Amino acid sequence: METTKFLLDEKALPESWYNLIPDLPFQLEPPLNPATHEPVGPEAFAAIFPEAIIRQEVTGEPHVPIPEEVREIYSLWRPTPLLRARRLERFLDTPAHIYYKYEGGSPTGSHKPNTAVPQAYYNREEGVRRLTTETGAGQWGSSLAFACGVMGLECTVYMVRVSYDQKPYRRIMMQTYGAEVHASPTDLTQAGRNILEEHPDSPGSLGIAISEAVEDAVGNDDAKYSLGSVLNHVLLHQTVIGQEALQQMEMAGEYPDIVVGCVGGGSNFAGISFPFIRENLKNAKDTRILAVEPASCPTLTKGRYTYDFGDTAGTTPLMKMYTLGHSFVPAGIHAGGLRYHGDSPVISALVHEGLIEARAYAQNPTFEAGVLFARTEGIVPAPEVAHAIKAVLDLAQEAKESGEQNVILFNLCGHGHFDLAAYEQYLAGNLVDIEHSEEEIERAVARIPG
Ligand SMILES: Cc1ncc(COP(=O)(O)O)c(C=O)c1O
């Protein structure tokens, strides 16, 4: 029988995270103070993050050791399996070899605990009692709730209203881990009240929920804020995924021609791809790296590469990134984790420099891809991941047409067990493909400061 799963022993769990930044062939532009437009130092983050996290945010070290306690908790679900999608390949009748790294077997069903656990760990080490955060689909909120639970911290989650209504079981999961969950925008923060005054029926957005969570942390001495994507330290923690995948591809006796991941703020994509980008830069490999996003929130494909706020209320430093404008509220698609106006500055720079590619898909074709994957490989993917799967199907079709035996690797970063209401709507033919018009995007982009 041919091998389907490539499994690593627990001893193969990486001992350090990989930091791509010192290996980049260009300089990243620094975050700026919005008032002075001068570069901000690490101290700008002191009110919201613990020192260890701030050091990781700016470190120039290529390898950052993973604390033993974090590795021990990782071992509850890591190393995660790499699978060859043989049944999908046969269905597609493609010469391409399709591999996927499956992160859905973590306690909360996605890649998010890879960073939630170390973030909760460093906060506990520095005496923080409570963490605040935002969540879209609820994958991140439930992961931080889990991590706070194991580290003995309290957790307050601002959950984007549209997802709060669409995914009640995610909320219950967070509450089961002991977290307090609010539908954002709330009337508990000034940022939330401002939005509600103007838009009482606001569906919320990640940008708004971030503003609320940051305001809560800044206003309370015993609390800090925790972010589930975008920033360097979050991407750093996720690189356990790609480091394991490198070892597993070697076990499979192949090397990927193409690495694919979906992108919200960029953390799972960075996790799978950064170790392979390192191989491109350092070891003369030539893997194509493809980021996939929703057509209704086309940050990398239609956004502007400029300085913008990370949140809607404009409380964060300005970051150089592809952005649709911090006031842009993306349509309420079911891939809630991809509804972010901006993107990681590192991933934005990689796109801008032409080291990686990006493409966007509307929601119906992604659900079609998700259903096909479920019917061939058995896993019902999270709607976010279905974007990556749609791209993989297209790449496999291209391989069929060209006859090339491409090796494709993608990150199956979460299962969709809590997203079944979305699948129900898709199966009933009730999902609409919402694309913002060019004018709407132009208007939002025009509101970007400076
Ligand atoms: C399953 C899943 N995939 C992808 C994402 C997008 O986030 P990121 O781009 O940081 O991986 C999320 C975010 O919530 C998610 O839950």
Side-chain angles (χ1 to χ4, degrees):
M1 211 169 79
E2 291 173 313
T3 308
T4 299
K5 294 191 297 304
F6 299 90
L7 303 173
L8 291 171
D9 189 82
E10 269 178 34
K11 291 189 204 73
L13 217 162
E15 291 181 1
S16 58
W17 294 296
Y18 168 61
N19 180 19
L20 174 66
I21 294 170
D23 289 335
L24 289 175
F26 52 83
Q27 282 286 319
L28 283 176
E29 304 206 45
L32 299 182
N33 179 319
T36 62
H37 281 225
E38 291 296 320
V40 296
E43 68 287 349
F45 297 101
I48 51 173
F49 295 133
E51 274 175 30
I53 290 289
I54 295 172
R55 276 199 301 276
Q56 290 184 355
E57 186 60 25
V58 296
T59 184
E61 291 299 320
H63 302 284
V64 176
I66 306 175
E68 258 326 288
E69 188 177 341
V70 171
R71 285 185 83 233
E72 189 194 314
I73 298 170
Y74 274 175
S75 72
L76 290 172
W77 72 95
R78 304 209 72 84
T80 60
L82 177 85
L83 288 94
R84 169 108 180 251
R86 293 187 188 276
R87 299 178 53 78
L88 178 65
E89 287 171 19
R90 277 201 292 276
F91 178 88
L92 297 173
D93 188 25
T94 175
H97 293 185
I98 303 173
Y99 291 85
Y100 58 98
K101 182 78 168 147
Y102 186 48
E103 291 291 306
S106 79
T108 55
S110 79
H111 62 296
K112 296 285 179 178
N114 296 335
T115 183
V117 170
Q119 290 197 47
Y121 167 84
Y122 291 118
N123 275 285
R124 188 205 63 195
E125 291 296 283
E126 293 184 30
V128 175
R129 284 198 33 244
R130 180 170 70 97
L131 287 179
T132 70
T133 197
E134 74 293 330
T135 195
Q139 293 266 22
W140 165 242
S142 49
S143 300
L144 192 69
F146 154 68
C148 284
V150 292
M151 293 294 169
L153 301 179
E154 290 173 33
C155 184
T156 308
V157 183
Y158 293 85
M159 184 172 190
V160 174
R161 158 68 67 189
V162 60
S163 299
Y164 187 94
D165 295 337
Q166 283 170 347
K167 298 171 204 251
Y169 294 116
R170 275 283 167 199
R171 166 177 55 77
I172 297 165
M173 191 177 187
M174 290 184 252
Q175 290 165 334
T176 303
Y177 286 127
E180 198 173 281
V181 188
H182 305 290
S184 166
T186 72
D187 58 7
L188 302 172
T189 65
Q190 194 54 49
R193 286 190 293 272
N194 290 348
I195 299 282
L196 287 175
E197 214 168 279
E198 240 185 274
H199 306 285
D201 297 324
S202 168
S205 69
L206 280 172
I208 297 169
I210 293 172
S211 299
E212 294 210 89
V214 168
E215 185 181 325
D216 181 347
V218 170
N220 289 286
D221 284 346
D222 62 347
K224 294 266 187 219
Y225 166 69
S226 176
L227 185 65
S229 193
V230 181
L231 293 180
N232 301 340
H233 65 273
V234 183
L235 276 52
L236 174 79
H237 297 154
Q238 293 293 355
T239 57
V240 284
I241 302 172
Q243 292 185 74
E244 289 176 6
L246 265 170
Q247 298 181 58
Q248 289 161 308
M249 288 303 305
E250 203 175 322
M251 285 167 84
E254 303 216 72
Y255 193 84
D257 297 301
I258 311 170
V259 172
V260 183
C262 65
V263 178
S267 74
N268 90 83
F269 174 76
I272 189 94
S273 68
F274 281 10
F276 289 94
I277 296 177
R278 177 183 188 280
E279 294 302 307
N280 281 358
L281 295 171
K282 294 264 173 191
N283 292 322
K285 297 285 190 194
D286 190 22
T287 299
R288 267 177 79 191
I289 313 279
L290 178 62
V292 191
E293 62 182 10
S296 60
C297 190
T299 318
L300 294 172
T301 49
K302 291 198 178 155
R304 182 179 293 174
Y305 187 53
T306 186
Y307 274 102
D308 195 9
F309 292 108
D311 71 321
T312 302
T315 50
T316 67
L318 294 170
M319 294 182 296
K320 185 79 181 272
M321 60 183 177
Y322 279 100
T323 173
L324 296 163
H326 62 285
S327 61
F328 182 80
V329 178
I333 54 164
H334 285 277
L338 306 185
R339 292 181 65 237
Y340 183 58
H341 67 271
D343 236 300
S344 140
V346 183
I347 290 171
S348 297
L350 286 165
V351 171
H352 187 69
E353 297 287 329
L355 268 67
I356 65 177
E357 303 161 42
R359 50 170 92 158
Y361 290 107
Q363 112 170 306
N364 270 298
T366 66
F367 272 91
E368 189 185 351
V371 167
L372 174 61
F373 194 82
R375 290 180 187 177
T376 49
E377 292 294 315
I379 294 168
V380 178
E384 290 84 358
V385 188
H387 288 72
I389 296 174
K390 170 63 182 151
V392 169
L393 298 188
D394 283 359
L395 291 166
Q397 179 61 28
E398 285 164 27
K400 190 172 170 176
E401 282 158 18
S402 69
E404 268 178 285
Q405 203 193 65
N406 279 335
V407 177
I408 304 170
L409 166 67
F410 77 96
N411 195 23
L412 207 172
C413 60
H415 67 62
H417 296 181
F418 293 91
D419 305 291
L420 294 178
Y423 277 91
E424 183 181 32
Q425 283 197 26
Y426 169 74
L427 294 171
N430 292 337
L431 273 194
V432 273
D433 283 336
I434 316 149
E435 271 193 54
H436 298 272
S437 66
E438 293 289 338
E439 298 79 58
E440 207 180 333
I441 292 174
E442 268 314 306
R443 270 200 308 279
V445 163
R447 286 197 292 268
I448 297 171

